[in-house]
Amino acid sequence: MSLKDLPRIGSSEEKISFLSVAASLLYTAGLFLVFFIMERFNLDYCSNILDLKWVTLAGFTVYVNVPSRYKLPAFSLIFMVCIYTVFTVVPATILFLILLSFFLIIQSQLKWGLKLLIVALMMLFLLAVRANVLFMPRVALVVPFALAIVMFRGILLMYEVKYNPPSANSWFHLGYFFIFPNLAFLFFPIVDNKFFVKSFLNRPYREIYKRGLFYLLFGMFQITVYKVIHDHFLVQHTEHTIWSLLRFTFVNYFMILKITGILTIAFGFLVIFGFNLPPLFGNFFLAPSFTDYWRRANIYWREFVIKIVYYPLYFRLKKKIPQPIFVCVIIAFTFSYIFHSYQLFCINGYYTFRANDLFYWLTLGLIIGINATLEHQRISTSGKKTAPSRTKDFFLRPLKIAAVFFITSTLWFFWGSDSIGDFAFAYSDLLHPDPVSLVKLAACVASFILLYNIGAFISEALGKTFGEKIIDDVSIAIMLVGFSTLAYTVDGISTGNPLSSVVRPVILNAAEKERADIGYYESLISSGPGNWEVSLKTGRRFDALDKISDRTGDLLVQEFRPGTSGTINGYTIKINPLGLRDLDYTVKKPENTYRIALIGGSYEMGAGISNDEVFEALTEERLNKRSAARKVEIWNYAVGGYTAIQHLEVVKRKVLQSHPDELILFAHNNELKRFAGFFSRYITLGTDLKYEFLKRIKTLSGVRQNMGSAEIRERLNPYMADVTFWAYIEIVNTCKANGIKPVWVFLQTTNDAFSEQDLNAQSALASKAGFRVFVLKDVYKGYPYEKISLDRNNPHPNALGHRLISEKFYNLLSDSTNTLLQ
Amino acid sequence: MTKDQIKKMVKEYIAEHVFSGAVPSDFTDDTLMISTRIVNSIVVMHMINHFEELLKVEVEAHEVNVDNLDSVNLVTLFFFNKVNAGK
């Protein structure tokens, strides 16, 4: 298709009339409402599209009003405006030039082999910048965006150029690289070039717009369902019964709605700009076979793999090997794993091998390979199928759907598990069936069979085009009005109201937080962050930490490298010559100086903020302003991920050298639970536990290196209070032997619910060990979580949070009744 | 082999292997089969193998696309051109 084929100005469709102006206003109003809802429902954590809101609205208004032949150039122009709005001139121009280069090379008359070589070299260059092999800060800023755009589309366009020389107008190919929603959704559907060209304005725009609007609303609906399920139904599997396990497995599977919702919204933005693309997903929850599941789940991904890997392989091998379908499917799924890893690297800039990933894809490939081979044989051997028996179908089809759902949800659980051992540990519950679970399960299956058949009956009665009928003016209007009304009344919805799940951002539950803490720790030791699709926005915050820290290979695990500095997500982290994130102190204590050694974890280290914003630095500065006669030095020994055992190591190996007068150890909510997570890493990594006491705990708990971390954590949990108490006693004894006053301070985290029981248990341990115990109370009182934390999924305090902590910490230190600093 | 003969074979194949003999009344020679997911990739592969053997032609991987195989008419034209290209 070329632009000439599109309707021109003056054609009956494009005459400017009152109706056409009114329609364009309605189109823009619809999109405005979509943005309004997204904003009010706090959907900005899913993408950055709200940052492009005004450009998109203005661009869309222009787009709907220009004649069809100018719509593609307008589409590319919106991309240009977006990049110059988002970035400053230099990076925006670099991004533009990178994409233009790809476009010009692929469009050029050069031989295909030469084009391939140049494109491959350009990709290697971008990947090298992404991996920080080439240090080019301004280029690096835009490379994730460039890679998100060309990583798959470059491959598809090269394929088209080789086999089906494109006849389409150049604007199509430029537009193919200039899909502006991709800037906001780095995780974007793999749009096939052929469909991109063929689908453009292939139906009257009114119809296409309706589809686009439907997808935008439907995407939001999916995310809304995800939020409700997340907040009200995602109960952790802790009971160790089959029912508990399966309930968690099934509910956890619905977390996929967040991903499908994001992709559907991204897709919807493309559709409302005239690209009438085929659907992105089928209803894969109701797939009756594995091949059918694969056909419905992320259809664009599947078609990409089939086109680039499966077909070329199959046609090469079909006459040379037995069972070519099975072999080719397995290879195609292996490539699917490779492409996922490649996508992960392009977007996040790192790659970590996870056995779960590889085995997930291979298992899925194995199942689908067998299913596809059988299906192919069935087509070959039986031409005409016998009409299905109604009675048989009543039971068989829903049972098949239930079986596929069970296996795919189990695989999803497996994929998201921290390790294969964790998965095996959780699923070992299946070996201990209990009657209550089996009865509940049977009731569930029976209910599903009944509900499925009722649904099938209604669907049959409404006719097979029911799905298409859904996308009509009335249903879209109902969704739009319903969502808008809810969005408008957001402010009046209290936290206790069930609707609050719909409108407020997702807050991680305890288990997810625990995993995030482990993830943080894992980042420090350069291992995986978990499932990339749910951590897209997290990014690689800690790669710079690798440059300013060293692994110790012992109980300390990691320590800062003296005299280094780095920038992480815009904040600077500077390490002094003594290896502390602090000012350059002299080891010899100056006259009239009171020296405090502060030990703690990421809160005290100041994760996510610059050195001078950390509460320790603020407090020290304020104390010294108060009295010039007596100087106070607070040496910050904190490092992210440090807990009781590391604190002990820090005291013994580092603190004593600085001869402080006082030692302040910070602890937080759920410290013991978090501690079990960190301790489990010692076991997993095979770290020498050094102390007899710790070795005895290892023996008593029965943990082994080859166990999954969930099992290790669970086995260690009962011993964590004892280990903490032991470490505290060791710290106190070391301090007292060296004339240091040991102080223990409890600081509440920004997001955990405060538990008096937890505080009492922890402070009792500290007090019994010999610490003076203090509690920083009501630190963040009056400030909502969003105001004081780094972001919604990163609970570390931001600069304001640290100022609030500093206020309380200063009061604690300066209050003479506490007899600190004395 | 004429185009009509090939079309007859294609329609018979579709009727038998896609619709189990019961072709819907609204299915025409121009109905899109791949784009609308009436046929899946396994059926497409089987159909290609079937006509490769029947018509003694060879199909290449990149030719498996909606431009060539999306409807009865397109499949007919594709294999008709293949047969004639071989002569």
Side-chain angles (χ1 to χ4, degrees):
Chain A
M1 186 195 279
S2 75
L3 294 184
K4 286 177 189 168
D5 300 327
L6 297 170
R8 288 159 179 264
I9 299 173
S11 69
S12 59
E13 190 203 317
E14 302 225 330
K15 277 181 186 164
I16 296 173
S17 65
F18 172 74
L19 278 178
S20 67
V21 171
S24 70
L25 283 174
L26 274 178
Y27 294 149
T28 309
L31 186 59
F32 179 82
L33 271 179
V34 166
F35 279 122
F36 173 69
I37 298 164
M38 287 182 85
E39 208 157 30
R40 300 291 280 177
F41 281 22
N42 286 295
L43 290 179
D44 52 334
Y45 72 94
C46 298
S47 80
N48 300 312
I49 195 70
L50 289 174
D51 295 339
L52 301 176
K53 180 173 73 173
W54 296 113
V55 180
T56 307
L57 279 170
F60 182 72
T61 309
V62 172
Y63 174 88
V64 290
N65 282 296
V66 297
S68 298
R69 61 185 311 194
Y70 297 126
K71 286 192 192 298
L72 267 180
F75 184 70
S76 295
L77 190 65
I78 297 170
F79 178 89
M80 296 297 294
V81 177
C82 280
I83 59 170
Y84 281 95
T85 309
V86 174
F87 305 108
T88 52
V89 175
V90 174
T93 308
I94 291 170
L95 178 59
F96 168 67
L97 291 175
I98 290 170
L99 297 175
L100 190 69
S101 308
F102 273 97
F103 165 75
L104 291 174
I105 300 288
I106 296 174
Q107 280 282 103
S108 71
Q109 299 300 316
L110 294 171
K111 284 186 176 174
W112 191 83
L114 185 59
K115 276 188 201 178
L116 182 66
L117 180 69
I118 297 171
V119 168
L121 287 173
M122 285 165 66
M123 280 302 290
L124 278 177
F125 167 75
L126 293 180
L127 292 170
V129 175
R130 191 75 188 100
N132 292 325
V133 173
L134 296 174
F135 183 67
M136 305 171 84
R138 284 185 164 180
V139 180
L141 195 66
V142 294
V143 159
F145 298 91
L147 280 171
I149 289 167
V150 299
M151 61 184 169
F152 293 125
R153 267 178 260 153
I155 296 172
L156 282 167
L157 199 52
M158 283 300 291
Y159 181 94
E160 286 302 319
V161 167
K162 179 169 185 187
Y163 294 115
N164 308 300
S167 55
N169 187 290
S170 295
W171 283 110
F172 277 106
H173 293 149
L174 195 63
Y176 192 54
F177 284 129
F178 282 11
I179 295 178
F180 79 88
N182 205 165
L183 293 168
F185 298 88
L186 292 186
F187 177 40
F188 200 77
I190 306 178
V191 182
D192 189 276
N193 180 261
K194 201 178 275 295
F195 280 125
F196 184 77
V197 174
K198 280 174 77 106
S199 69
F200 187 64
L201 296 182
N202 64 353
R203 302 285 304 158
Y205 179 70
R206 182 176 168 275
E207 280 180 33
I208 300 173
Y209 174 81
K210 267 199 300 182
R211 278 195 72 220
L213 195 58
F214 173 80
Y215 284 121
L216 289 171
L217 294 168
F218 188 52
M220 285 193 273
F221 174 74
Q222 291 177 60
I223 292 175
T224 303
V225 174
Y226 152 77
K227 284 161 94 174
V228 172
I229 293 177
H230 179 278
D231 283 6
H232 299 289
F233 299 97
L234 190 63
V235 182
Q236 292 301 311
H237 166 53
T238 49
E239 291 170 22
H240 294 292
T241 63
I242 292 183
W243 176 248
S244 163
L245 172 71
L246 294 184
R247 188 186 53 193
F248 179 73
T249 304
F250 296 157
V251 175
N252 181 52
Y253 190 33
F254 281 97
M255 297 298 97
I256 203 172
L257 287 175
K258 181 182 174 186
I259 298 158
T260 56
I262 293 170
L263 283 173
T264 305
I265 292 174
F267 176 74
F269 273 107
L270 197 51
V271 176
I272 60 161
F273 278 86
F275 297 94
N276 190 26
L277 294 157
L280 197 54
F281 297 100
N283 187 353
F284 53 87
F285 288 130
L286 293 179
S289 71
F290 293 104
T291 44
D292 203 40
Y293 167 81
W294 182 231
R295 267 174 222 130
R296 298 177 187 208
N298 202 349
I299 294 163
Y300 285 27
W301 180 276
R302 172 188 160 272
E303 286 182 351
F304 170 77
V305 175
I306 283 187
K307 186 174 186 172
I308 302 297
V309 182
Y310 179 78
Y311 282 157
L313 264 176
Y314 178 78
F315 279 87
R316 221 170 261 254
L317 300 176
K318 67 178 180 178
K319 287 175 186 164
K320 294 179 185 163
I321 57 167
Q323 303 298 348
I325 291 181
F326 179 76
V327 173
C328 293
V329 167
I330 294 287
I331 297 173
F333 272 84
T334 309
F335 269 89
S336 206
Y337 160 73
I338 294 167
F339 285 134
H340 263 86
S341 307
Y342 163 71
Q343 185 178 33
L344 171 68
F345 180 81
C346 287
I347 294 177
N348 284 352
Y350 65 91
Y351 166 72
T352 310
F353 175 77
R354 287 176 74 235
N356 300 36
D357 277 348
L358 181 60
F359 282 111
Y360 169 80
W361 287 107
L362 286 180
T363 311
L364 199 58
L366 189 73
I367 295 170
I368 291 170
I370 293 169
N371 205 163
T373 306
L374 293 174
E375 211 172 297
H376 191 264
Q377 281 170 0
R378 204 160 45 237
I379 297 169
S380 305
T381 52
S382 63
K384 288 181 183 173
K385 296 171 197 163
T386 51
S389 141
R390 212 168 176 83
T391 321
K392 201 174 160 190
D393 226 27
F394 184 90
F395 292 105
L396 201 58
R397 195 173 167 84
L399 279 176
K400 277 183 179 176
I401 292 170
V404 172
F405 184 83
F406 167 69
I407 292 175
T408 49
S409 58
T410 301
L411 279 173
W412 178 258
F413 185 114
F414 173 74
W415 198 21
S417 297
D418 287 339
S419 68
I420 293 173
D422 279 354
F423 172 78
F425 175 60
Y427 265 69
S428 64
D429 290 340
L430 284 182
L431 301 173
H432 313 289
D434 57 294
V436 178
S437 291
L438 295 179
V439 169
K440 281 181 178 174
L441 193 62
C444 242
V445 172
S447 309
F448 176 69
I449 291 172
L450 194 65
L451 284 174
Y452 176 81
N453 281 293
I454 292 170
F457 174 77
I458 294 171
S459 173
E460 208 174 317
L462 289 170
K464 68 174 181 179
T465 53
F466 177 67
E468 289 164 25
K469 282 179 187 166
I470 286 177
I471 311 171
D472 63 11
D473 300 328
V474 178
S475 61
I476 289 172
I478 289 171
M479 281 172 80
L480 206 54
V481 171
F483 274 138
S484 305
T485 311
L486 198 55
Y488 188 71
T489 53
V490 160
D491 296 333
I493 296 173
S494 62
T495 317
N497 190 322
L499 282 176
S500 67
S501 295
V502 176
V503 294
R504 70 176 169 81
V506 168
I507 308 255
L508 299 181
N509 62 34
E512 287 167 324
K513 257 184 307 208
E514 193 182 332
R515 283 181 65 181
D517 284 332
I518 304 288
Y520 173 79
Y521 187 78
E522 292 205 8
S523 295
L524 282 175
I525 56 169
S526 294
S527 54
N531 190 351
W532 67 271
E533 276 147 319
V534 293
S535 58
L536 270 183
K537 286 276 285 177
T538 308
R540 179 69 164 148
R541 286 180 283 127
F542 302 108
D543 57 349
L545 277 177
D546 289 338
K547 292 177 191 155
I548 54 167
S549 56
D550 294 308
R551 291 178 211 180
T552 59
D554 56 23
L555 291 176
L556 216 47
V557 181
Q558 191 102 356
E559 64 185 355
F560 286 131
R561 191 179 304 153
T564 54
S565 63
T567 304
I568 305 170
N569 283 2
Y571 73 89
T572 50
I573 183 162
K574 190 170 172 291
I575 310 303
N576 73 14
L578 298 166
L580 314 184
R581 191 189 182 190
D582 214 328
L583 303 172
D584 294 351
Y585 301 109
T586 53
V587 177
K588 192 180 173 208
K589 200 190 309 179
E591 296 260 317
N592 290 326
T593 299
Y594 191 84
R595 184 172 284 174
I596 298 171
L598 186 151
I599 53 177
S602 53
Y603 268 56
E604 291 69 39
M605 178 193 83
I609 54 166
S610 294
N611 279 30
D612 56 356
E613 295 172 315
V614 181
F615 77 85
E616 168 272 319
L618 299 172
T619 311
E620 183 186 68
E621 192 184 348
R622 199 168 160 196
L623 285 168
N624 286 318
K625 273 184 188 165
R626 186 188 64 162
S627 162
R630 189 171 180 233
K631 203 166 172 264
V632 176
E633 283 182 358
I634 307 177
W635 288 35
N636 191 347
Y637 286 92
V639 173
Y642 276 15
T643 50
I645 294 175
Q646 282 116 328
H647 295 336
L648 171 62
E649 288 298 284
V650 169
V651 170
K652 289 197 167 183
R653 288 153 63 170
K654 300 184 178 188
V655 170
L656 296 181
Q657 295 167 17
S658 61
H659 306 291
D661 302 290
E662 202 162 274
L663 175 119
I664 299 182
L665 186 156
F666 272 83
H668 308 278
N669 315 45
N670 298 320
E671 191 80 20
L672 299 186
K673 203 167 181 190
R674 206 163 18 240
F675 183 31
F678 293 127
F679 195 100
S680 75
R681 304 306 298 172
Y682 290 142
I683 308 299
T684 309
L685 295 169
T687 308
D688 176 13
L689 294 175
K690 187 174 161 183
Y691 300 98
E692 277 312 311
F693 181 82
L694 297 181
K695 287 176 185 169
R696 207 161 57 242
I697 292 294
K698 185 186 171 193
T699 311
L700 284 171
S701 62
V703 294
R704 292 191 310 274
Q705 192 176 4
N706 60 356
M707 283 176 175
S709 58
E711 184 175 4
I712 295 175
R713 281 200 301 273
E714 193 158 314
R715 282 173 177 269
L716 286 173
N717 261 332
Y719 299 93
M720 286 305 98
D722 293 336
V723 179
T724 305
F725 185 56
W726 167 81
Y728 280 0
I729 288 176
E730 290 281 318
I731 291 171
V732 169
N733 289 343
T734 310
C735 284
K736 286 184 174 167
N738 290 278
I740 305 166
K741 287 184 277 180
V743 176
W744 184 90
V745 175
F746 179 88
L747 169 63
Q748 195 180 341
T749 54
T750 59
N751 57 338
D752 293 286
F754 176 74
S755 156
E756 200 73 47
Q757 197 184 353
D758 177 39
L759 170 62
N760 291 341
Q762 287 198 59
S763 55
L765 284 179
S767 177
K768 206 172 157 191
F771 280 104
R772 291 192 66 207
V773 171
F774 295 94
V775 177
L776 295 185
K777 279 182 183 161
D778 301 329
V779 177
Y780 320 106
K781 199 174 181 183
Y783 290 86
Y785 170 77
E786 291 79 16
K787 294 266 186 217
I788 50 158
S789 58
L790 289 175
D791 66 51
R792 283 174 184 134
N793 285 324
N794 188 343
H796 291 108
N798 57 18
L800 171 63
H802 274 265
R803 284 202 297 278
L804 297 172
I805 299 170
S806 168
E807 185 68 30
K808 293 285 179 185
F809 189 40
Y810 172 82
N811 290 342
L812 176 81
L813 293 177
S814 56
D815 184 345
S816 58
T817 58
N818 291 331
T819 62
L820 294 166
L821 303 181
Q822 286 172 20
Chain B
M1 192 168 279
T2 66
K3 207 185 262 187
D4 285 342
Q5 285 172 311
I6 294 176
K7 184 183 270 190
K8 189 169 173 280
M9 287 193 283
V10 171
K11 288 175 87 163
E12 279 173 4
Y13 178 90
I14 300 287
E16 189 176 332
H17 292 95
V18 178
F19 297 114
S20 307
V23 182
S25 56
D26 56 351
F27 184 81
T28 69
D29 293 350
D30 288 314
T31 302
L32 301 181
M33 301 185 292
I34 298 176
S35 306
T36 53
R37 324 256 183 242
I38 292 174
V39 299
N40 61 48
S41 57
I42 297 172
V43 176
V44 172
M45 287 293 100
H46 189 269
M47 182 174 75
I48 289 168
N49 290 346
H50 176 79
F51 285 109
E52 274 186 335
E53 276 180 31
L54 200 69
L55 303 172
K56 308 283 178 242
V57 293
E58 238 177 62
V59 176
E60 290 185 59
H62 64 87
E63 292 172 321
V64 186
N65 59 46
V66 285
D67 288 345
N68 295 330
L69 304 166
D70 213 5
S71 67
V72 169
N73 278 336
L74 286 172
V75 176
T76 304
L77 184 66
F78 175 66
F79 281 109
F80 177 72
N81 289 340
K82 279 270 169 198
V83 170
N84 285 331
K87 284 180 181 174

